[in-house]
Amino acid sequence: MTIAAEEEMPRSKRRSSLIRSPQFSSLVILIVLLAVFAVADANFLSPLNISNMMAFLPELGIIALGMTLLLTAGEFDLSVGAVFGLAPVVVMLLVQNGGFDIGIALLVGLLLCIAIGAVNGLIVTKIGISSFLVTLSMLLVVRGAALYITQGFPLKSWDQPGFFVTLLAGSFNIGTFRFYTSLWWFIGLSLLAIYVLHYAKLGNWISAIGSNRNAAVARGVPADAVKVWLFILTSALAGLAGMISAFRISAASPVAGTGYELEVIAMVVVGGTALTGGRGTILGTIVGALMLRSIRNGIVLIGVPGLAYNIFVGVIILAMLILHALLQKNAARN
Amino acid sequence: MEVLRLQNLQKSFGSVRALKCASFALNEGEVVALLGDNGAGKSTLIKAISGVFPVDRGDIYVRGQKVSIRSTRDAMDLGIETIHQDTSLAPDLSIARNLFLGREPVNLKWLGVFAPLDLAKLRDAAAALLKRVGISKKLDADALVSTLSGGERQSIAISRAMQFAAKVIILDEPTNNLGVEETHGVLRFVKEVRAAGHSVLLITHNIHHVFQVADRIIVMRRGEIVAEQTVADTDLLTVESIITGADMSALLKETRAK
Ligand SMILES: Nc1ncnc2c1ncn2[C@@H]1O[C@H](COP(=O)(O)OP(=O)(O)OP(=O)(O)O)[C@@H](O)[C@H]1O
Ligand SMILES: [Mg+2]
């Protein structure tokens, strides 16, 4: 009798902790939002509109995955939007003006993103300047570079289909839905990120570093190296997302991705990842990405005036954060 | 047999000479208490041994071999486990994950840092360990450390050092914040570790504890070792006056005479 009672307790405790977890409350709110939009406008769930949302979702979502890992380790990166803009600009310039093979140009673009991430990471860890300041400066450098090398003009349109274009931005139809291959990238990378953060040794290290860096270092965890690699990963994912976007719309603009850094960070924290590090959730980030995308899409459909979008987005994000904070407090009290 | 020897360790933080010149040796199966007032340099000394930061000057020998300890990993690989005074756990991780932090049991080891954690083993080993230590029998290995009391956290950190059966275990004020039962648990643990042939360097402000478990006493003042005595040859009052510096000259003479 007593044994049964003892075994019963942790299970119910676990279930209630799942319900109280931040990603769960985000999920509930996402469902409510979707329902509200669906009722307010029948077109919201139309194949065309869903296809549309799914085309945009992976581009910011992919960056958000890297940002989640980075935030969990206690750092963040404000230069992702600029890298999103610079990578395709460099690749297309190399191909169109430099006559390089597209494969080589993509490789150069990737190496460039890696270098940007490495510089961010090394300055943050070795010199000890906060990631806010370092990546804010990097945002200016990278955006400035994109503007300078293009002289501020978007590159002429890209009309050479090929292996890489199909790989990154090909599309296919399922029934009346039209999906891009980028969705597969997002799904695949999400699964990888879930594995790494929650099931691999590395994820244990990432959470420990963000939670208590000194404790992690005292256990022999190479905290600085992990952080540098996460900066590199985030930067590379931002470049990948930029390429996907540029291939999809067949154009590269030096101002593409402006403001994305904040949108991505919003997705991550709305999903329940702590801005202060230590607690990260990839599932939450996926929910957060879906939420911000559907908000942006839904408020257009239900007829909110264009210039008022950001008011709504901002208010909804604030409400989410307040909710998380209240849940957190509640959990601490129990 | 000597397991650890420090020779003329020096360490400054800017103009603060936290460690002026510290030398001593630690033998196998011996419990040495490191005493001294706040700011005497005790934590600095053990941080140097455990690889938190490098010393400015001086040598460290492990089992007679000169070693260079450049990182906490180096110290752990040499068999030196340390429980630091400032919290050594990650509050957002579960007890089990904290116990094995840095030494996670994994499957598919060849995957390196991407190797999947062996969650079943992690849980079972953690539960077994908590049971063995006996100072935290009510704790669930899956509970987050942030939900534990200070004393419970200390118990977890100590269980962890015990887990890896290090040659040398360094405890920086391990009984701080502990209740009566937990304190007895720690002292019992120190004796157990000695019985198993390991050495312990124990930092504490509680002299009664010292007389319960230590074999030898080392006293630090302002970055220097000022006295070294075996517990059998001294008493509580003498030690107390050495720490506070009352009548230093007489005591120093006595120490040197030995
Ligand atoms: N990281 C640091 N930077 C600058 N000064 C430091 C640092 N760590 C320690 N100190 C200084 O070195 C001296 C010795 O400090 P330490 O922590 O070793 O003392 P302690 O003997 O452990 O004291 P307590 O009993 O209070 O723990 C102190 O004056 C302290 O202020
Ligand atoms: Mg100290």
Side-chain angles (χ1 to χ4, degrees), chain A residues 195 198-202 204-205 207 211-212 215 217 219-220 278-279, chain B residues 72 76 81 87-93 97 104 113-117 160:
Chain A
Y195 167 74
H198 301 296
Y199 298 100
K201 182 161 141 180
L202 181 59
N204 207 36
W205 290 4
S207 306
S211 184
N212 183 347
V217 171
R219 300 309 299 164
R279 274 174 289 125
Chain B
T72 49
M76 286 160 73
E81 286 280 335
T87 66
S88 46
L89 302 177
D92 297 305
L93 267 56
R97 282 179 177 239
E104 296 83 354
V113 294
F114 296 104
L117 294 174
R160 185 169 66 187

PDB file of all heavy atoms in Angstrom, chain A residues 195 198-202 204-205 207 211-212 215 217 219-220 278-279, chain B residues 72 76 81 87-93 97 104 113-117 160:
ATOM      1  N   TYR A 195      18.266  16.474 -30.004  1.00  0.00           N
ATOM      2  CA  TYR A 195      19.171  15.409 -29.570  1.00  0.00           C
ATOM      3  C   TYR A 195      20.362  15.994 -28.811  1.00  0.00           C
ATOM      4  O   TYR A 195      20.679  15.561 -27.697  1.00  0.00           O
ATOM      5  CB  TYR A 195      19.647  14.590 -30.775  1.00  0.00           C
ATOM      6  CG  TYR A 195      20.804  13.694 -30.432  1.00  0.00           C
ATOM      7  CD1 TYR A 195      20.598  12.537 -29.678  1.00  0.00           C
ATOM      8  CD2 TYR A 195      22.103  14.028 -30.792  1.00  0.00           C
ATOM      9  CE1 TYR A 195      21.648  11.737 -29.316  1.00  0.00           C
ATOM     10  CE2 TYR A 195      23.164  13.226 -30.433  1.00  0.00           C
ATOM     11  CZ  TYR A 195      22.941  12.093 -29.695  1.00  0.00           C
ATOM     12  OH  TYR A 195      23.981  11.308 -29.318  1.00  0.00           O
ATOM     13  N   HIS A 198      19.257  17.842 -25.351  1.00  0.00           N
ATOM     14  CA  HIS A 198      18.608  17.096 -24.272  1.00  0.00           C
ATOM     15  C   HIS A 198      19.158  15.688 -24.053  1.00  0.00           C
ATOM     16  O   HIS A 198      18.959  15.115 -22.998  1.00  0.00           O
ATOM     17  CB  HIS A 198      17.105  17.040 -24.517  1.00  0.00           C
ATOM     18  CG  HIS A 198      16.470  18.397 -24.594  1.00  0.00           C
ATOM     19  ND1 HIS A 198      16.441  19.262 -23.522  1.00  0.00           N
ATOM     20  CD2 HIS A 198      15.885  19.056 -25.615  1.00  0.00           C
ATOM     21  CE1 HIS A 198      15.842  20.387 -23.891  1.00  0.00           C
ATOM     22  NE2 HIS A 198      15.509  20.287 -25.156  1.00  0.00           N
ATOM     23  N   TYR A 199      19.844  15.127 -25.047  1.00  0.00           N
ATOM     24  CA  TYR A 199      20.263  13.731 -24.907  1.00  0.00           C
ATOM     25  C   TYR A 199      21.765  13.503 -25.009  1.00  0.00           C
ATOM     26  O   TYR A 199      22.254  12.458 -24.599  1.00  0.00           O
ATOM     27  CB  TYR A 199      19.535  12.863 -25.935  1.00  0.00           C
ATOM     28  CG  TYR A 199      18.053  12.876 -25.726  1.00  0.00           C
ATOM     29  CD1 TYR A 199      17.229  13.676 -26.501  1.00  0.00           C
ATOM     30  CD2 TYR A 199      17.476  12.131 -24.695  1.00  0.00           C
ATOM     31  CE1 TYR A 199      15.861  13.731 -26.281  1.00  0.00           C
ATOM     32  CE2 TYR A 199      16.116  12.175 -24.460  1.00  0.00           C
ATOM     33  CZ  TYR A 199      15.313  12.972 -25.262  1.00  0.00           C
ATOM     34  OH  TYR A 199      13.974  13.017 -25.014  1.00  0.00           O
ATOM     35  N   ALA A 200      22.509  14.464 -25.567  1.00  0.00           N
ATOM     36  CA  ALA A 200      23.942  14.229 -25.733  1.00  0.00           C
ATOM     37  C   ALA A 200      24.736  14.837 -24.576  1.00  0.00           C
ATOM     38  O   ALA A 200      24.251  15.694 -23.846  1.00  0.00           O
ATOM     39  CB  ALA A 200      24.420  14.815 -27.060  1.00  0.00           C
ATOM     40  N   LYS A 201      25.947  14.353 -24.432  1.00  0.00           N
ATOM     41  CA  LYS A 201      26.879  14.871 -23.432  1.00  0.00           C
ATOM     42  C   LYS A 201      27.062  16.381 -23.599  1.00  0.00           C
ATOM     43  O   LYS A 201      27.068  17.127 -22.636  1.00  0.00           O
ATOM     44  CB  LYS A 201      28.202  14.150 -23.671  1.00  0.00           C
ATOM     45  CG  LYS A 201      29.320  14.478 -22.747  1.00  0.00           C
ATOM     46  CD  LYS A 201      30.332  13.348 -22.838  1.00  0.00           C
ATOM     47  CE  LYS A 201      31.742  13.836 -22.806  1.00  0.00           C
ATOM     48  NZ  LYS A 201      32.700  12.716 -22.888  1.00  0.00           N
ATOM     49  N   LEU A 202      27.161  16.810 -24.871  1.00  0.00           N
ATOM     50  CA  LEU A 202      27.377  18.225 -25.145  1.00  0.00           C
ATOM     51  C   LEU A 202      26.255  19.087 -24.563  1.00  0.00           C
ATOM     52  O   LEU A 202      26.505  20.164 -24.027  1.00  0.00           O
ATOM     53  CB  LEU A 202      27.486  18.441 -26.661  1.00  0.00           C
ATOM     54  CG  LEU A 202      27.734  19.870 -27.122  1.00  0.00           C
ATOM     55  CD1 LEU A 202      29.022  20.419 -26.535  1.00  0.00           C
ATOM     56  CD2 LEU A 202      27.792  19.943 -28.644  1.00  0.00           C
ATOM     57  N   ASN A 204      24.436  18.511 -21.971  1.00  0.00           N
ATOM     58  CA  ASN A 204      24.649  18.603 -20.529  1.00  0.00           C
ATOM     59  C   ASN A 204      25.647  19.714 -20.218  1.00  0.00           C
ATOM     60  O   ASN A 204      25.465  20.504 -19.296  1.00  0.00           O
ATOM     61  CB  ASN A 204      25.182  17.256 -20.030  1.00  0.00           C
ATOM     62  CG  ASN A 204      24.828  16.989 -18.588  1.00  0.00           C
ATOM     63  OD1 ASN A 204      23.762  17.354 -18.144  1.00  0.00           O
ATOM     64  ND2 ASN A 204      25.747  16.379 -17.868  1.00  0.00           N
ATOM     65  N   TRP A 205      26.693  19.762 -21.028  1.00  0.00           N
ATOM     66  CA  TRP A 205      27.713  20.799 -20.843  1.00  0.00           C
ATOM     67  C   TRP A 205      27.134  22.178 -21.108  1.00  0.00           C
ATOM     68  O   TRP A 205      27.373  23.122 -20.357  1.00  0.00           O
ATOM     69  CB  TRP A 205      28.908  20.551 -21.783  1.00  0.00           C
ATOM     70  CG  TRP A 205      29.715  19.357 -21.418  1.00  0.00           C
ATOM     71  CD1 TRP A 205      29.447  18.464 -20.415  1.00  0.00           C
ATOM     72  CD2 TRP A 205      30.917  18.911 -22.041  1.00  0.00           C
ATOM     73  NE1 TRP A 205      30.411  17.495 -20.390  1.00  0.00           N
ATOM     74  CE2 TRP A 205      31.318  17.745 -21.375  1.00  0.00           C
ATOM     75  CE3 TRP A 205      31.683  19.386 -23.102  1.00  0.00           C
ATOM     76  CZ2 TRP A 205      32.460  17.034 -21.724  1.00  0.00           C
ATOM     77  CZ3 TRP A 205      32.824  18.695 -23.467  1.00  0.00           C
ATOM     78  CH2 TRP A 205      33.211  17.531 -22.783  1.00  0.00           C
ATOM     79  N   SER A 207      24.044  23.301 -20.929  1.00  0.00           N
ATOM     80  CA  SER A 207      23.161  23.756 -19.844  1.00  0.00           C
ATOM     81  C   SER A 207      23.967  24.098 -18.598  1.00  0.00           C
ATOM     82  O   SER A 207      23.690  25.090 -17.917  1.00  0.00           O
ATOM     83  CB  SER A 207      22.142  22.671 -19.480  1.00  0.00           C
ATOM     84  OG  SER A 207      21.447  22.261 -20.616  1.00  0.00           O
ATOM     85  N   SER A 211      24.192  27.628 -16.667  1.00  0.00           N
ATOM     86  CA  SER A 211      23.617  27.612 -15.335  1.00  0.00           C
ATOM     87  C   SER A 211      24.612  28.098 -14.287  1.00  0.00           C
ATOM     88  O   SER A 211      24.278  28.873 -13.402  1.00  0.00           O
ATOM     89  CB  SER A 211      23.175  26.193 -15.005  1.00  0.00           C
ATOM     90  OG  SER A 211      22.527  26.142 -13.776  1.00  0.00           O
ATOM     91  N   ASN A 212      25.852  27.615 -14.375  1.00  0.00           N
ATOM     92  CA  ASN A 212      26.890  28.011 -13.426  1.00  0.00           C
ATOM     93  C   ASN A 212      28.229  27.699 -14.082  1.00  0.00           C
ATOM     94  O   ASN A 212      28.726  26.583 -13.998  1.00  0.00           O
ATOM     95  CB  ASN A 212      26.737  27.236 -12.120  1.00  0.00           C
ATOM     96  CG  ASN A 212      27.746  27.656 -11.074  1.00  0.00           C
ATOM     97  OD1 ASN A 212      28.722  28.345 -11.377  1.00  0.00           O
ATOM     98  ND2 ASN A 212      27.523  27.232  -9.844  1.00  0.00           N
ATOM     99  N   ALA A 215      31.081  26.245 -11.981  1.00  0.00           N
ATOM    100  CA  ALA A 215      30.885  24.849 -11.598  1.00  0.00           C
ATOM    101  C   ALA A 215      31.244  23.935 -12.764  1.00  0.00           C
ATOM    102  O   ALA A 215      31.890  22.900 -12.574  1.00  0.00           O
ATOM    103  CB  ALA A 215      29.439  24.619 -11.175  1.00  0.00           C
ATOM    104  N   VAL A 217      33.302  24.580 -15.262  1.00  0.00           N
ATOM    105  CA  VAL A 217      34.753  24.603 -15.472  1.00  0.00           C
ATOM    106  C   VAL A 217      35.454  23.757 -14.416  1.00  0.00           C
ATOM    107  O   VAL A 217      36.393  23.018 -14.712  1.00  0.00           O
ATOM    108  CB  VAL A 217      35.279  26.053 -15.462  1.00  0.00           C
ATOM    109  CG1 VAL A 217      36.791  26.081 -15.449  1.00  0.00           C
ATOM    110  CG2 VAL A 217      34.742  26.813 -16.664  1.00  0.00           C
ATOM    111  N   ARG A 219      34.482  21.133 -13.151  1.00  0.00           N
ATOM    112  CA  ARG A 219      34.329  19.719 -13.488  1.00  0.00           C
ATOM    113  C   ARG A 219      35.061  19.386 -14.786  1.00  0.00           C
ATOM    114  O   ARG A 219      34.804  18.348 -15.383  1.00  0.00           O
ATOM    115  CB  ARG A 219      32.856  19.329 -13.655  1.00  0.00           C
ATOM    116  CG  ARG A 219      32.007  19.545 -12.448  1.00  0.00           C
ATOM    117  CD  ARG A 219      32.581  18.953 -11.197  1.00  0.00           C
ATOM    118  NE  ARG A 219      32.749  17.500 -11.283  1.00  0.00           N
ATOM    119  CZ  ARG A 219      33.509  16.798 -10.455  1.00  0.00           C
ATOM    120  NH1 ARG A 219      34.191  17.406  -9.510  1.00  0.00           N
ATOM    121  NH2 ARG A 219      33.593  15.500 -10.582  1.00  0.00           N
ATOM    122  N   GLY A 220      35.892  20.295 -15.265  1.00  0.00           N
ATOM    123  CA  GLY A 220      36.670  19.998 -16.467  1.00  0.00           C
ATOM    124  C   GLY A 220      35.918  20.200 -17.770  1.00  0.00           C
ATOM    125  O   GLY A 220      36.350  19.740 -18.820  1.00  0.00           O
ATOM    126  N   GLY A 278      21.167  28.502 -18.948  1.00  0.00           N
ATOM    127  CA  GLY A 278      20.936  27.335 -18.103  1.00  0.00           C
ATOM    128  C   GLY A 278      19.701  26.523 -18.461  1.00  0.00           C
ATOM    129  O   GLY A 278      19.683  25.325 -18.289  1.00  0.00           O
ATOM    130  N   ARG A 279      18.651  27.217 -18.908  1.00  0.00           N
ATOM    131  CA  ARG A 279      17.413  26.501 -19.223  1.00  0.00           C
ATOM    132  C   ARG A 279      17.029  26.752 -20.668  1.00  0.00           C
ATOM    133  O   ARG A 279      16.639  27.862 -21.033  1.00  0.00           O
ATOM    134  CB  ARG A 279      16.278  26.963 -18.301  1.00  0.00           C
ATOM    135  CG  ARG A 279      16.238  26.218 -16.967  1.00  0.00           C
ATOM    136  CD  ARG A 279      15.196  26.808 -16.045  1.00  0.00           C
ATOM    137  NE  ARG A 279      15.635  28.119 -15.560  1.00  0.00           N
ATOM    138  CZ  ARG A 279      14.942  29.219 -15.680  1.00  0.00           C
ATOM    139  NH1 ARG A 279      13.776  29.210 -16.279  1.00  0.00           N
ATOM    140  NH2 ARG A 279      15.409  30.349 -15.205  1.00  0.00           N
TER     141      ARG A 279
ATOM    142  N   THR B  72      41.366  22.461 -14.547  1.00  0.00           N
ATOM    143  CA  THR B  72      40.685  21.600 -13.581  1.00  0.00           C
ATOM    144  C   THR B  72      40.702  20.156 -14.069  1.00  0.00           C
ATOM    145  O   THR B  72      40.737  19.231 -13.279  1.00  0.00           O
ATOM    146  CB  THR B  72      39.238  22.071 -13.403  1.00  0.00           C
ATOM    147  OG1 THR B  72      38.650  22.238 -14.694  1.00  0.00           O
ATOM    148  CG2 THR B  72      39.191  23.380 -12.669  1.00  0.00           C
ATOM    149  N   MET B  76      41.831  16.769 -12.016  1.00  0.00           N
ATOM    150  CA  MET B  76      40.964  15.601 -11.896  1.00  0.00           C
ATOM    151  C   MET B  76      41.674  14.350 -12.412  1.00  0.00           C
ATOM    152  O   MET B  76      41.569  13.273 -11.826  1.00  0.00           O
ATOM    153  CB  MET B  76      39.664  15.825 -12.685  1.00  0.00           C
ATOM    154  CG  MET B  76      38.696  16.787 -12.012  1.00  0.00           C
ATOM    155  SD  MET B  76      37.476  17.485 -13.158  1.00  0.00           S
ATOM    156  CE  MET B  76      36.420  16.077 -13.443  1.00  0.00           C
ATOM    157  N   GLU B  81      40.230  15.687  -6.407  1.00  0.00           N
ATOM    158  CA  GLU B  81      38.836  16.150  -6.519  1.00  0.00           C
ATOM    159  C   GLU B  81      38.621  17.252  -5.495  1.00  0.00           C
ATOM    160  O   GLU B  81      39.013  17.119  -4.341  1.00  0.00           O
ATOM    161  CB  GLU B  81      37.869  15.009  -6.219  1.00  0.00           C
ATOM    162  CG  GLU B  81      37.741  13.969  -7.310  1.00  0.00           C
ATOM    163  CD  GLU B  81      36.814  14.397  -8.446  1.00  0.00           C
ATOM    164  OE1 GLU B  81      35.932  15.238  -8.215  1.00  0.00           O
ATOM    165  OE2 GLU B  81      36.987  13.876  -9.565  1.00  0.00           O
ATOM    166  N   THR B  87      29.497  27.642  -4.532  1.00  0.00           N
ATOM    167  CA  THR B  87      28.724  26.494  -5.028  1.00  0.00           C
ATOM    168  C   THR B  87      29.392  25.837  -6.224  1.00  0.00           C
ATOM    169  O   THR B  87      29.860  26.503  -7.124  1.00  0.00           O
ATOM    170  CB  THR B  87      27.326  26.924  -5.488  1.00  0.00           C
ATOM    171  OG1 THR B  87      27.482  27.757  -6.630  1.00  0.00           O
ATOM    172  CG2 THR B  87      26.592  27.630  -4.407  1.00  0.00           C
ATOM    173  N   SER B  88      29.421  24.528  -6.204  1.00  0.00           N
ATOM    174  CA  SER B  88      30.073  23.836  -7.309  1.00  0.00           C
ATOM    175  C   SER B  88      29.071  23.047  -8.131  1.00  0.00           C
ATOM    176  O   SER B  88      29.435  22.148  -8.849  1.00  0.00           O
ATOM    177  CB  SER B  88      31.165  22.920  -6.768  1.00  0.00           C
ATOM    178  OG  SER B  88      30.670  22.195  -5.682  1.00  0.00           O
ATOM    179  N   LEU B  89      27.788  23.404  -8.034  1.00  0.00           N
ATOM    180  CA  LEU B  89      26.769  22.698  -8.806  1.00  0.00           C
ATOM    181  C   LEU B  89      26.082  23.661  -9.776  1.00  0.00           C
ATOM    182  O   LEU B  89      26.069  24.858  -9.561  1.00  0.00           O
ATOM    183  CB  LEU B  89      25.711  22.113  -7.866  1.00  0.00           C
ATOM    184  CG  LEU B  89      26.203  21.141  -6.795  1.00  0.00           C
ATOM    185  CD1 LEU B  89      25.055  20.728  -5.911  1.00  0.00           C
ATOM    186  CD2 LEU B  89      26.857  19.933  -7.423  1.00  0.00           C
ATOM    187  N   ALA B  90      25.520  23.084 -10.827  1.00  0.00           N
ATOM    188  CA  ALA B  90      24.727  23.872 -11.775  1.00  0.00           C
ATOM    189  C   ALA B  90      23.260  23.739 -11.379  1.00  0.00           C
ATOM    190  O   ALA B  90      22.692  22.663 -11.488  1.00  0.00           O
ATOM    191  CB  ALA B  90      24.949  23.362 -13.196  1.00  0.00           C
ATOM    192  N   PRO B  91      22.639  24.836 -10.904  1.00  0.00           N
ATOM    193  CA  PRO B  91      21.295  24.736 -10.341  1.00  0.00           C
ATOM    194  C   PRO B  91      20.218  24.276 -11.317  1.00  0.00           C
ATOM    195  O   PRO B  91      19.224  23.715 -10.903  1.00  0.00           O
ATOM    196  CB  PRO B  91      21.000  26.161  -9.845  1.00  0.00           C
ATOM    197  CG  PRO B  91      22.028  27.025 -10.482  1.00  0.00           C
ATOM    198  CD  PRO B  91      23.210  26.180 -10.765  1.00  0.00           C
ATOM    199  N   ASP B  92      20.410  24.523 -12.624  1.00  0.00           N
ATOM    200  CA  ASP B  92      19.360  24.174 -13.588  1.00  0.00           C
ATOM    201  C   ASP B  92      19.438  22.726 -14.056  1.00  0.00           C
ATOM    202  O   ASP B  92      18.622  22.286 -14.857  1.00  0.00           O
ATOM    203  CB  ASP B  92      19.428  25.101 -14.806  1.00  0.00           C
ATOM    204  CG  ASP B  92      19.168  26.543 -14.417  1.00  0.00           C
ATOM    205  OD1 ASP B  92      18.127  26.802 -13.816  1.00  0.00           O
ATOM    206  OD2 ASP B  92      20.029  27.402 -14.677  1.00  0.00           O
ATOM    207  N   LEU B  93      20.443  21.997 -13.574  1.00  0.00           N
ATOM    208  CA  LEU B  93      20.569  20.591 -13.955  1.00  0.00           C
ATOM    209  C   LEU B  93      20.047  19.699 -12.832  1.00  0.00           C
ATOM    210  O   LEU B  93      20.030  20.096 -11.675  1.00  0.00           O
ATOM    211  CB  LEU B  93      22.042  20.250 -14.239  1.00  0.00           C
ATOM    212  CG  LEU B  93      22.500  20.364 -15.696  1.00  0.00           C
ATOM    213  CD1 LEU B  93      22.216  21.752 -16.238  1.00  0.00           C
ATOM    214  CD2 LEU B  93      23.983  20.053 -15.815  1.00  0.00           C
ATOM    215  N   ARG B  97      22.492  14.613 -13.238  1.00  0.00           N
ATOM    216  CA  ARG B  97      23.360  15.229 -14.245  1.00  0.00           C
ATOM    217  C   ARG B  97      24.510  15.986 -13.591  1.00  0.00           C
ATOM    218  O   ARG B  97      25.611  16.052 -14.127  1.00  0.00           O
ATOM    219  CB  ARG B  97      22.550  16.140 -15.151  1.00  0.00           C
ATOM    220  CG  ARG B  97      21.763  15.350 -16.194  1.00  0.00           C
ATOM    221  CD  ARG B  97      20.938  16.250 -17.075  1.00  0.00           C
ATOM    222  NE  ARG B  97      20.250  15.484 -18.092  1.00  0.00           N
ATOM    223  CZ  ARG B  97      20.407  15.674 -19.404  1.00  0.00           C
ATOM    224  NH1 ARG B  97      21.220  16.610 -19.843  1.00  0.00           N
ATOM    225  NH2 ARG B  97      19.765  14.934 -20.275  1.00  0.00           N
ATOM    226  N   GLU B 104      30.269  12.183 -17.863  1.00  0.00           N
ATOM    227  CA  GLU B 104      28.978  11.572 -18.146  1.00  0.00           C
ATOM    228  C   GLU B 104      29.138  10.156 -18.683  1.00  0.00           C
ATOM    229  O   GLU B 104      29.990   9.911 -19.540  1.00  0.00           O
ATOM    230  CB  GLU B 104      28.217  12.412 -19.175  1.00  0.00           C
ATOM    231  CG  GLU B 104      27.848  13.815 -18.722  1.00  0.00           C
ATOM    232  CD  GLU B 104      28.960  14.839 -18.881  1.00  0.00           C
ATOM    233  OE1 GLU B 104      30.089  14.453 -19.242  1.00  0.00           O
ATOM    234  OE2 GLU B 104      28.703  16.027 -18.632  1.00  0.00           O
ATOM    235  N   VAL B 113      31.797  14.437 -28.027  1.00  0.00           N
ATOM    236  CA  VAL B 113      30.864  15.248 -27.253  1.00  0.00           C
ATOM    237  C   VAL B 113      29.425  15.058 -27.719  1.00  0.00           C
ATOM    238  O   VAL B 113      28.487  15.442 -27.036  1.00  0.00           O
ATOM    239  CB  VAL B 113      31.206  16.757 -27.310  1.00  0.00           C
ATOM    240  CG1 VAL B 113      32.526  17.028 -26.638  1.00  0.00           C
ATOM    241  CG2 VAL B 113      31.196  17.281 -28.728  1.00  0.00           C
ATOM    242  N   PHE B 114      29.245  14.454 -28.906  1.00  0.00           N
ATOM    243  CA  PHE B 114      27.885  14.233 -29.404  1.00  0.00           C
ATOM    244  C   PHE B 114      27.325  12.883 -28.956  1.00  0.00           C
ATOM    245  O   PHE B 114      26.220  12.509 -29.312  1.00  0.00           O
ATOM    246  CB  PHE B 114      27.856  14.321 -30.929  1.00  0.00           C
ATOM    247  CG  PHE B 114      28.213  15.684 -31.444  1.00  0.00           C
ATOM    248  CD1 PHE B 114      29.461  15.937 -31.998  1.00  0.00           C
ATOM    249  CD2 PHE B 114      27.311  16.733 -31.325  1.00  0.00           C
ATOM    250  CE1 PHE B 114      29.792  17.202 -32.447  1.00  0.00           C
ATOM    251  CE2 PHE B 114      27.634  17.996 -31.771  1.00  0.00           C
ATOM    252  CZ  PHE B 114      28.879  18.236 -32.336  1.00  0.00           C
ATOM    253  N   ALA B 115      28.100  12.158 -28.170  1.00  0.00           N
ATOM    254  CA  ALA B 115      27.650  10.843 -27.724  1.00  0.00           C
ATOM    255  C   ALA B 115      26.401  10.973 -26.855  1.00  0.00           C
ATOM    256  O   ALA B 115      26.293  11.893 -26.044  1.00  0.00           O
ATOM    257  CB  ALA B 115      28.763  10.160 -26.935  1.00  0.00           C
ATOM    258  N   PRO B 116      25.439  10.065 -27.036  1.00  0.00           N
ATOM    259  CA  PRO B 116      24.219  10.126 -26.231  1.00  0.00           C
ATOM    260  C   PRO B 116      24.482   9.710 -24.789  1.00  0.00           C
ATOM    261  O   PRO B 116      25.204   8.748 -24.531  1.00  0.00           O
ATOM    262  CB  PRO B 116      23.281   9.134 -26.920  1.00  0.00           C
ATOM    263  CG  PRO B 116      24.180   8.203 -27.640  1.00  0.00           C
ATOM    264  CD  PRO B 116      25.395   8.978 -28.028  1.00  0.00           C
ATOM    265  N   LEU B 117      23.911  10.441 -23.856  1.00  0.00           N
ATOM    266  CA  LEU B 117      24.056  10.096 -22.446  1.00  0.00           C
ATOM    267  C   LEU B 117      23.379   8.755 -22.194  1.00  0.00           C
ATOM    268  O   LEU B 117      22.328   8.461 -22.752  1.00  0.00           O
ATOM    269  CB  LEU B 117      23.369  11.153 -21.576  1.00  0.00           C
ATOM    270  CG  LEU B 117      23.960  12.548 -21.596  1.00  0.00           C
ATOM    271  CD1 LEU B 117      23.070  13.500 -20.811  1.00  0.00           C
ATOM    272  CD2 LEU B 117      25.357  12.540 -21.015  1.00  0.00           C
ATOM    273  N   ARG B 160      29.672  13.519  -4.971  1.00  0.00           N
ATOM    274  CA  ARG B 160      30.322  13.499  -6.272  1.00  0.00           C
ATOM    275  C   ARG B 160      31.825  13.249  -6.141  1.00  0.00           C
ATOM    276  O   ARG B 160      32.408  12.459  -6.880  1.00  0.00           O
ATOM    277  CB  ARG B 160      30.063  14.815  -7.007  1.00  0.00           C
ATOM    278  CG  ARG B 160      30.604  14.810  -8.395  1.00  0.00           C
ATOM    279  CD  ARG B 160      30.105  15.991  -9.170  1.00  0.00           C
ATOM    280  NE  ARG B 160      30.612  17.244  -8.632  1.00  0.00           N
ATOM    281  CZ  ARG B 160      30.219  18.431  -9.056  1.00  0.00           C
ATOM    282  NH1 ARG B 160      29.307  18.523  -9.996  1.00  0.00           N
ATOM    283  NH2 ARG B 160      30.728  19.515  -8.534  1.00  0.00           N
TER     284      ARG B 160
END
